[in-house]
Structure formats: C-alpha cells, structure tokens
Amino acid sequence: MEKSKILEANIKKIKNTKPVNSNMIYSSEMQILLDRLGDSDFKVAVVGEFSSGKSTFINAMLKKDILKHESRETTACITYLVNVPKNSDKDGKCEVTFKDGQTISLDSLEDLREVTTTSSNKHNVSSEISCVRIMQHFFDENENFTLIDTPGLNGIADNHRQLTIDEVKNAHACIYLLQLRSLTKSDVEFIKYLAQYQDKFIFVQNFIDELKSQEGETVELKIQEIEKILKERVFNELDGDYEYKVCGVSAIKALTAYDNSIKRLYAYDEIDLSETDRKQLLEESLFEEYAIILKNDFGKEKYEEVKTKAVQSTFENLLQKILIKAEDILETNQELYNQSKDKTQIEHLANKRNILAEKRTSNKGIIDNFILSEQGKIKRLLVDDITLQIKGLNEEMAEVIGSQSDYSGFKERVTNQSFNRMIQTRLYSVDQKVENNKNNCLQQLFNNVLLRIDELCTWNQMDNKNSKLDFEKIAFEQNDSMEKEKSYLENLRNQLKKEKERIIKNEVDSEKARAELKEQREQIERTKREISEVEKKQASMINRLGQKPAKERKTRPVKEERYRDGILGGIANFFCGTKTVTVEKEYFDDSRCKKWEKDLRDIKEKSGENRDRLNRQISMLESNVISKEENLKHTQMDKQKADQAYQNAKKQLEEKEKELKFFEEKAMKEFFEVKKNEYIKLISNYLIDDENSVLQTRIESLRGNLEKNIEMIKINARKRYDETYDANLKTIDSLINGKQQLLTGELKEFEVSIQLYREILNNGGAAYAKC
C-alpha cells in the first residue's frame, strides 16, 4: 500500500475515536489533514512579519510587478498565486471571492490594490473579501503549484495572525521571510508554533542589498547566524524530523532584473537600466540560487513525497497531544469512578460538590486578584522596554548626526527628510517589537490564568478550546512634528510666488463674482417686470370679459296629470284615470352666467400659474444672489489671507536671506556645529523631552491598550472558570446519581482509543518508512 493510503487510513481511524469525534477542534484538525493529503495542488505558504518584503519577493518569483508593495500598503486578505500551464487561456486572469460567496473577475491586475490591501478605497478588504486567486505561469518544475501570500504577522489589518495560521495548516511547505534584523524572539516563538503543522521550511533572508559591508556584514555570516539561532533556539527544542534550508536574496533587485517595465532600481536613479545592468542586478540578488533550492525541494518528482511527509509529521504531532490529553482525562475520570463505588464515597462526593459550589465566587476573586497583580508587572516591564528602546534611538540619532562631516550633505539630508525617514522607520520597528512583546506577555498571562483555574477546579481537566486570544493592537499616536521642518531659500521663493499667484487669482475671481451678481440682480428685475405684465394682461382680459350676465326667464312645455271636472269628468276619472295635458312652464337659464364664471376662473388660473412660476424664478435668483454674495465675501476674505500669507512668506524669505548672509560671514565649522546641536536637540525634544513626545504618547497608548486587553482576559478567564466549574459539577452529579455504568463504557472507549494512539505512534512511523 502506498504511503499516502496508509496515512489516510490512520487519520480516518483516529478521527472516528471517542476522544476525537467528541471534540470539535480535534475533529476539525483531522479533517484538515485529510484535505491536505487529498489536495491535487502543492501549496507553499509565504510567511513573514510586516515589511519583510513578501509581496516584492513573490513578484520576483512571478517575474512581474503584480502584487502591490508600497511601504504602507499591507496585504489584508489571502492571495493565491496559482501556477498554470504555458499559453493557458487562464494566464493573467484574476478572481476575487467575497465573504458572502460572490465571485467576480478583475478586468485588470492594476485593480489588485483595491481588493488585497488595507489602502483600498472601495472595500474594507479584511472584513469583505475572503481571498483572491491570480492565475499565472511562473514555475516550470510543477504545474500543480500554488503560492499563498499571507498577511504580515504583525500587520495593521484585522486578525492577520490567525489568517496566516489557517493557511499554514492547509499548506504542504512554508517559505519564511526574514527582515534585515534577522530572527527576533517573536519569530522564534512563531516558527515553533508553525512547526506543529509543517516539517519543511525555506528561510529566506531578504534585503541582503542593505547589509553594511564596510562594517563586516556579509551574506555568508548572516546565514550562519540564522542557522545557529534556528538550530539552538528552535529545532533542538522540538521533537520531530524537520527539514529546513537558509538562503539570502535581494527581492527588489531580482524583480527589477526580471521585469523590463521597471526602468530604474530606485526612484532617485537618473538613468534607465540596460540589459547589462539587469544581469548584474540578478547576479547580485542571489535569486537564482534560491530558485535552485525551490526546484530541488518542490519539483514535480518530489511533490507527493513532500506532501505526504508534511501531513505525516503534523498528524504525529497532533496525535501525541491527543494521547496526552486522553490519558489525563482517563486518569481523572478513573479516579472519580473509583471514588463512587459505595454510598459513603458518594456522600463524600456530595460534600466535595458543596464545598466547590461555596467557593465559586471566592475563586473568581482569587483569579481577578491574580490578574491584577500580574497586570502591574507587565505594565512596568513594557514601559521600561519602550523607554529603553526610544532612548536608545535618541542616542543612535545623536551619534549619526554628530558624525556628519560635510555641511552640504547634512543640509540636504535635513531638507529631503532623510533623518526623519530614518527615525520613522526605527520607530515603526520599535512599535512592532513592543506590540509583539505585549502580545507575548498577555498570552503568557492568559495561559497562567488557565493553569490557575485548573488548580482551583481540581475535579476535571479544562476542555481543550483554543487558549489563544486575539489582543487589541496598540494605537500608537503618530507625531508628525518632524515633517514640519523649515524650508530652505528656494522653497520660500516658490512659496512667495504661489501666494502672489493666489492673490491675482482671488482678484480675478472677485471680479467674475461681481459680474455674475450684477447679471443675477438684473435678471430679478426683468422677472419682476414680467410679473407686472402678467397682472396687466389679466386685468385686460377680465375687462374684455365684461359684466357677469344675468339669468334669462324662459318657458318650456311640460306634461302634467290632471283630474277631469264635472260629474261626467268624475265618472271618466273613475273608469279611465287622470288625463295628460301639456302646459307652458317658466324657468331661469343660467348657462351664460356659468360660462362667464368659467372664463374668469381660467383667466385667473393661467395668470396665477405664470405669476407663481415667475415668483419661484425670483426666489431661485435671489437665493443665487445670496450664495454668490457669500462666495464673494469668502473670496475677499481669502484675498486678505493671501495678502497676509504673502507678507509672512516675504518676511520669512528676508529672515532666511539674513541667515544665509550670517552663514557666509561665520566660519563654516562653527555654524555647522551649531546646526547639528540644534537638530539633535530638536530630535531629543521630539522623542523624549517634550510633554507630547513620542515616548510619552506611546506610554499613554500602551497603558490604555493594556487596560482594554486585561479586561478582555478577565472576561475570558471568568467564562473559562464557569465552563470548567459547570463541567466539574456535571461530572460529580453523574457519579452521585449512579451513572457509573455509563462512565464505565466511556472509560472503556478511552482505553481502546489510547491503545490505538500508542500503536500508531509506535508503529506508524516504521510502517510509513517501509512503504
């Protein structure tokens, strides 16, 4: 039987055992393993912290600048890069799947930013979009190959870490990108976590083009450093057979070399790249060495072997956890069962139940006090950490600025914000490190709280719900005072020119507004005259209509029934009834009067309609006049501001010219030292000394964020305590109520399951190796 079939059979056996099929999490994990094993595509997850260059790196693999990779554009959803055959009609296509199930196709890959990044103007990507699939031919060695671009582990969008973990669980291998600072503590911890689901890694040190060769930094030394950390602090501490390789690349150089649409490596380069330049960049990027590793490790001939071994490793890790948990539960329940065999012991259990119930409230207080005591320690630790890092940054910047020896170069770096960008980059790194340290501290606190709950609720183990919490991120306030540096002379002259143009434009706009106002007022007068003409016309028509005609007296024949006169007439009336006679009757004819009234109404209605229309037109015109008068007023006020701004800019220009004159009169060295000290002081105020310094605002943000997250831990801890407490009471009640027989059956199922787990763990690997 082939390896994958044996493995599939073992997973299905375990999935059907009592400890697994009664546990939603374990059952789900087993189903994920079956899906991974049966997946026809070979999936590789690309993982790394924010700004590790994942999107640029994947673009280099695609040899096209497809995924957006600006510094503040963060991938906010899962993006699948699906390898398709050459000349496939799917090549270059893109599908977007929304969380409501809707799927659309993009007309252009230029629209990717709107469906994959946090800077989208059309969608809240992390909450609206499930995934994006881009079909592209990029890997000749294996057609069934898919790269997964995961969000940054410490990015700013929602739930990035969990999205990444979910994809790693479904992938068959992992490429882990490293920032220039190499492996951090958070990297080490996260790699250990990923090793539960993966046994094959390629670690890629990106940004080798930024290594400081003048300080002795080389790619070889960097790789040796990473290999040492991985060996000593990661894989030596783990059980299992893990395969990993380390290489260094410059993704930006490789992408620029491959994609001819990128004309220059850096924005400030003045000359387009030649073919020779591109070959040189590709050689310097070391990307082809990485491509060889990829081919050898993930080529078609190794596809099934790597996939099956990855699932086997994850399966054994998970099974080991299930075995330990099942043994603990079996031991606890066996002890409880043994205690429930006679009435005396059941009474003892009832007494224990009462004690447990009495301590429910007091135990919650113990948990709250434990969290409160740990909160103070965490706060002090993190405040000390951020203080130390920002003070270190301040000292670093003072050293960098103090080492400047050329005034023109120093002035240029101040003018083009080079120092400021350096500070902001370092600050961003500090913020991410603090965020990671905070999350690690809070997660450790929560884990300790769960252990404390276990100690307080000794009757039963806590269930194995996910003990990971998604903590709220710190909203560090961004202080942009460093962006407001004074402009130099040429900038001031340009500003003066712009203010002058603004004054001229305001004068033109004012004149235009006055002309429009005049035209509107004249239109109002014309409309009023039209109303007067309408009223005159109405009067004339009414006059022509004349007086209202009177009703006319007229007669008309009318038939009437009458009785005959006399004796004979009475007899005839008796036998024949009344007789019909025609008589002339008078009446009044008012038809001419009604016509006159109708004509009068028509005249008045038509005149009224015209008058109302013209009145509405006047109202609209008058409203326009008020609006234009207000606009004219604002334009004139803007002109006054522009005049004032012009005078201020002129004064500033004069002061700068005086400063430059002073510079020419003073010795260059003395002036340079003054300017450096001023700038160092400015940076120190910005980072540390001012009331609203970076340090103070970040400490305040950190404290506020800790309060929210500690409260979340309290809520979750109380919930876990209640769940564990209720489970304990249920167990004791089951024993008290004489459910020993049911418990005996459950214990037997656990014993059989544990025996199966041990057999597979003891023999599964050997059977797998022999296939």
Side-chain angles (χ1 to χ4, degrees):
M1 185 183 295
E2 63 175 287
K3 300 175 183 179
S4 62
K5 295 297 183 182
I6 294 177
L7 182 55
E8 181 182 6
N10 284 339
I11 294 173
K12 287 180 177 179
K13 284 181 185 177
I14 299 302
K15 189 171 184 287
N16 290 327
T17 59
K18 176 72 174 179
V20 174
N21 64 26
S22 62
N23 184 297
M24 184 175 64
I25 295 176
Y26 288 155
S27 181
S28 174
E29 294 283 354
M30 288 297 170
Q31 187 58 50
I32 289 174
L33 291 177
L34 288 173
D35 293 342
R36 278 175 70 185
L37 194 62
D39 200 335
S40 60
D41 285 345
F42 187 77
K43 295 178 179 176
V44 178
V46 182
V47 180
E49 292 191 350
F50 174 78
S51 293
S52 59
K54 292 191 308 302
S55 296
T56 306
F57 173 79
I58 293 176
N59 283 340
M61 287 192 65
L62 301 177
K63 300 184 179 180
K64 290 183 180 180
D65 193 14
I66 293 176
L67 301 179
K68 300 302 178 184
H69 49 91
E70 282 78 358
S71 61
R72 290 296 173 186
E73 283 190 345
T74 310
T75 303
C77 72
I78 298 297
T79 304
Y80 298 101
L81 290 306
V82 182
N83 188 45
V84 297
K86 284 183 179 179
N87 304 319
S88 169
D89 57 358
K90 293 183 179 180
D91 197 359
K93 303 294 184 182
C94 178
E95 294 178 352
V96 181
T97 301
F98 290 82
K99 290 189 176 179
D100 63 4
Q102 177 190 4
T103 299
I104 63 171
S105 297
L106 291 186
D107 295 330
S108 171
L109 292 179
E110 293 298 320
D111 297 330
L112 273 177
R113 185 183 70 84
E114 297 296 344
V115 294
T116 59
T117 72
T118 54
S119 58
S120 172
N121 295 318
K122 295 182 179 180
H123 304 285
N124 183 344
V125 174
S126 61
S127 62
E128 294 179 25
I129 295 177
S130 174
C131 66
V132 174
R133 296 176 67 85
I134 301 172
M135 276 65 78
Q136 194 84 20
H137 177 75
F138 60 90
F139 193 47
D140 291 331
E141 307 304 323
N142 187 351
E143 287 186 357
N144 298 324
F145 188 85
T146 298
L147 278 178
I148 307 172
D149 183 17
T150 62
L153 299 177
N154 52 354
I156 60 177
D158 299 331
N159 208 21
H160 278 183
R161 193 178 186 89
Q162 191 57 48
L163 282 174
T164 299
I165 290 171
D166 290 343
E167 288 306 316
V168 170
K169 287 182 179 180
N170 287 288
H172 303 108
C174 182
I175 296 174
Y176 198 104
L177 258 70
L178 300 171
Q179 295 180 336
L180 190 59
R181 67 176 186 268
S182 189
L183 282 164
T184 64
K185 182 179 179 181
S186 60
D187 281 318
V188 169
E189 295 304 318
F190 194 63
I191 292 168
K192 287 180 181 178
Y193 185 80
L194 295 182
Q196 298 178 64
Y197 308 103
Q198 294 293 337
D199 72 332
K200 194 172 187 66
F201 294 87
I202 298 178
F203 295 97
V204 179
Q205 172 63 71
N206 200 4
F207 308 110
I208 62 171
D209 51 302
E210 296 182 20
L211 291 174
K212 300 174 182 177
S213 57
Q214 67 274 18
E215 297 180 12
E217 293 183 347
T218 65
V219 178
E220 291 77 13
L221 289 175
K222 197 69 175 176
I223 291 176
Q224 289 175 13
E225 173 192 339
I226 295 169
E227 288 176 337
K228 181 180 179 182
I229 295 173
L230 288 172
K231 180 180 179 181
E232 295 178 356
R233 293 172 54 190
V234 179
F235 295 108
N236 279 357
E237 298 181 8
L238 300 175
D239 294 328
D241 182 17
Y242 295 96
E243 293 183 28
Y244 64 92
K245 293 180 181 176
V246 183
C247 62
V249 302
S250 169
I252 186 64
K253 284 190 174 182
L255 174 59
T256 306
Y258 286 132
D259 192 342
N260 290 327
S261 68
I262 303 175
K263 301 301 181 184
R264 300 173 185 179
L265 177 59
Y266 302 114
Y268 53 77
D269 288 345
E270 298 180 355
I271 302 175
D272 289 353
L273 293 166
S274 65
E275 284 304 312
T276 303
D277 294 331
R278 294 184 189 277
K279 290 179 181 179
Q280 181 66 27
L281 286 177
L282 184 59
E283 183 178 342
E284 293 172 357
S285 74
L286 301 184
F287 209 79
E288 291 188 327
E289 294 182 15
Y290 155 75
I292 292 172
I293 294 175
L294 193 70
K295 175 183 176 181
N296 292 338
D297 286 11
F298 302 147
K300 193 169 186 178
E301 63 278 2
K302 290 195 173 182
Y303 164 50
E304 286 296 334
E305 178 186 347
V306 172
K307 182 178 71 171
T308 305
K309 190 172 181 297
V311 176
Q312 173 81 14
S313 175
T314 306
F315 171 60
E316 291 178 356
N317 288 335
L318 181 59
L319 186 56
Q320 188 66 47
K321 290 182 182 179
I322 296 172
L323 173 61
I324 293 171
K325 188 66 178 180
E327 287 175 338
D328 287 344
I329 294 174
L330 178 63
E331 181 181 352
T332 301
N333 288 341
Q334 185 69 56
E335 180 182 348
L336 292 175
Y337 173 65
N338 292 336
Q339 290 180 358
S340 68
K341 287 185 176 179
D342 56 50
K343 182 177 178 181
T344 302
Q345 290 171 330
I346 290 178
E347 289 175 352
H348 175 70
L349 287 174
N351 184 47
K352 289 290 185 181
R353 185 191 189 285
N354 292 335
I355 294 173
L356 189 64
E358 289 172 1
K359 289 185 177 181
R360 181 169 193 164
T361 302
S362 61
N363 283 346
K364 284 186 178 180
I366 292 172
I367 293 169
D368 285 347
N369 290 334
F370 176 74
I371 293 173
L372 187 63
S373 66
E374 293 298 312
Q375 176 183 354
K377 297 176 185 177
I378 292 173
K379 186 183 294 184
R380 288 191 296 274
L381 175 68
L382 293 177
V383 168
D384 290 345
D385 181 39
I386 196 172
T387 301
L388 181 65
Q389 292 193 60
I390 292 181
K391 285 185 176 180
L393 171 59
N394 185 54
E395 293 172 1
E396 178 188 352
M397 292 307 301
E399 182 179 346
V400 170
I401 293 169
S403 66
Q404 300 295 303
S405 58
D406 175 56
Y407 178 76
S408 60
F410 169 76
K411 183 174 72 172
E412 181 181 358
R413 296 189 72 180
V414 172
T415 304
N416 65 20
Q417 307 285 318
S418 175
F419 291 126
N420 183 41
R421 286 194 297 273
M422 183 185 299
I423 291 172
Q424 299 305 325
T425 300
R426 299 290 196 280
L427 278 178
Y428 190 81
S429 178
V430 168
D431 291 346
Q432 299 310 313
K433 185 174 182 181
V434 171
E435 180 70 36
N436 288 333
N437 289 345
K438 180 212 70 176
N439 286 341
N440 289 336
C441 289
L442 291 176
Q443 186 61 58
Q444 185 60 49
L445 169 59
F446 188 60
N447 292 340
N448 291 338
V449 169
L450 297 184
L451 293 175
R452 193 78 180 101
I453 292 173
D454 259 345
E455 294 171 4
L456 294 172
C457 299
T458 56
W459 277 104
N460 201 357
Q461 294 276 331
M462 289 178 60
D463 67 21
N464 50 10
K465 291 181 180 177
N466 191 357
S467 62
K468 300 292 288 183
L469 289 183
D470 290 324
F471 296 109
E472 182 175 335
K473 292 182 174 59
I474 305 173
F476 286 124
E477 181 181 348
Q478 295 299 318
N479 190 328
D480 62 348
S481 62
M482 292 294 286
E483 299 292 338
K484 299 177 180 177
E485 297 177 345
K486 293 181 180 180
S487 299
Y488 278 83
L489 194 59
E490 191 59 35
N491 290 335
L492 288 174
R493 285 174 178 152
N494 290 336
Q495 181 184 347
L496 201 63
K497 181 180 177 182
K498 289 178 180 178
E499 296 299 343
K500 186 66 177 178
E501 291 172 351
R502 180 180 166 193
I503 292 171
I504 295 172
K505 182 179 182 299
N506 282 332
E507 290 174 349
V508 172
D509 290 345
S510 296
E511 191 61 35
K512 182 180 178 181
R514 291 189 191 96
E516 290 176 349
L517 271 174
K518 181 180 177 183
E519 172 61 27
Q520 294 284 321
R521 291 187 179 116
E522 290 175 353
Q523 181 66 27
I524 289 173
E525 291 303 318
R526 288 196 295 271
T527 306
K528 287 180 178 179
R529 288 196 293 271
E530 285 187 49
I531 292 175
S532 179
E533 290 297 323
V534 168
E535 291 173 346
K536 288 179 183 179
K537 185 176 180 181
Q538 175 183 334
S540 174
M541 293 177 71
I542 292 174
N543 187 47
R544 287 199 300 272
L545 192 59
Q547 293 294 324
K548 179 178 180 180
K551 296 179 180 179
E552 294 181 287
R553 185 187 295 272
K554 293 183 179 181
T555 63
R556 59 187 172 195
V558 178
K559 291 183 179 181
E560 294 181 350
E561 297 293 324
R562 292 186 179 180
Y563 290 100
R564 300 173 181 86
D565 297 329
I567 296 173
L568 293 176
I571 294 171
N573 288 336
F574 178 79
F575 289 103
C576 301
T578 59
K579 67 177 180 179
T580 302
V581 297
T582 301
V583 296
E584 292 291 326
K585 286 279 191 176
E586 285 190 347
Y587 72 95
F588 290 97
D589 184 0
D590 62 350
S591 59
R592 290 180 61 215
C593 178
K594 289 181 178 179
K595 181 179 183 304
W596 185 91
E597 290 175 346
K598 180 179 181 303
D599 291 343
L600 180 62
R601 284 197 304 273
D602 290 345
I603 291 170
K604 288 183 177 181
E605 286 178 2
K606 185 172 182 181
S607 299
E609 289 175 357
N610 288 333
R611 187 164 48 252
D612 291 344
R613 175 179 58 78
L614 293 171
N615 280 328
R616 286 196 300 272
Q617 187 173 340
I618 287 175
S619 296
M620 183 178 68
L621 290 169
E622 288 176 341
S623 177
N624 287 341
V625 166
I626 293 172
S627 175
K628 290 185 181 298
E629 286 176 342
E630 189 67 24
N631 289 341
L632 178 59
K633 180 180 177 181
H634 286 306
T635 302
Q636 290 172 339
M637 290 174 63
D638 194 40
K639 180 178 180 300
Q640 292 175 356
K641 292 179 182 178
D643 290 338
Q644 184 62 44
Y646 177 80
Q647 294 302 324
N648 291 340
K650 185 177 180 182
K651 181 179 179 181
Q652 194 175 5
L653 177 61
E654 291 171 353
E655 290 175 352
K656 183 56 66 178
E657 287 175 340
K658 288 180 182 178
E659 183 180 340
L660 292 177
K661 185 177 180 181
F662 168 79
F663 169 71
E664 292 171 353
E665 293 172 352
K666 294 290 182 178
M668 173 70 77
K669 182 177 179 180
E670 179 182 348
F671 181 81
F672 189 14
E673 289 302 319
V674 168
K675 286 299 178 184
K676 286 198 294 186
N677 290 333
E678 287 178 355
Y679 202 68
I680 290 171
K681 180 60 178 173
L682 178 68
I683 291 174
S684 181
N685 289 340
Y686 167 68
L687 290 175
I688 299 173
D689 299 332
D690 283 352
E691 183 178 352
N692 295 319
S693 66
V694 166
L695 178 59
Q696 293 304 318
T697 55
R698 276 160 170 73
I699 288 176
E700 289 303 316
S701 298
L702 175 63
R703 285 172 175 162
N705 178 265
L706 277 176
E707 293 292 337
K708 293 179 182 179
N709 283 307
I710 290 295
E711 185 60 32
M712 180 175 69
I713 288 177
K714 286 182 179 178
I715 292 170
N716 279 274
R718 290 167 185 160
K719 180 181 177 183
R720 289 297 182 88
Y721 177 82
D722 286 337
E723 291 171 351
T724 306
Y725 172 88
D726 292 338
N728 290 334
L729 291 187
K730 185 176 179 181
T731 300
I732 296 174
D733 288 341
S734 296
L735 295 172
I736 293 173
N737 293 331
K739 294 185 178 179
Q740 295 93 329
Q741 184 174 357
L742 176 61
L743 183 56
T744 303
E746 291 180 353
L747 293 176
K748 186 64 178 177
E749 284 189 72
F750 267 75
E751 289 173 351
V752 172
S753 298
I754 289 171
Q755 182 62 31
L756 176 62
Y757 301 162
R758 289 171 178 163
E759 288 178 2
I760 290 178
L761 285 173
N762 291 334
N763 303 321
Y768 172 76
K770 292 175 182 177
C771 289

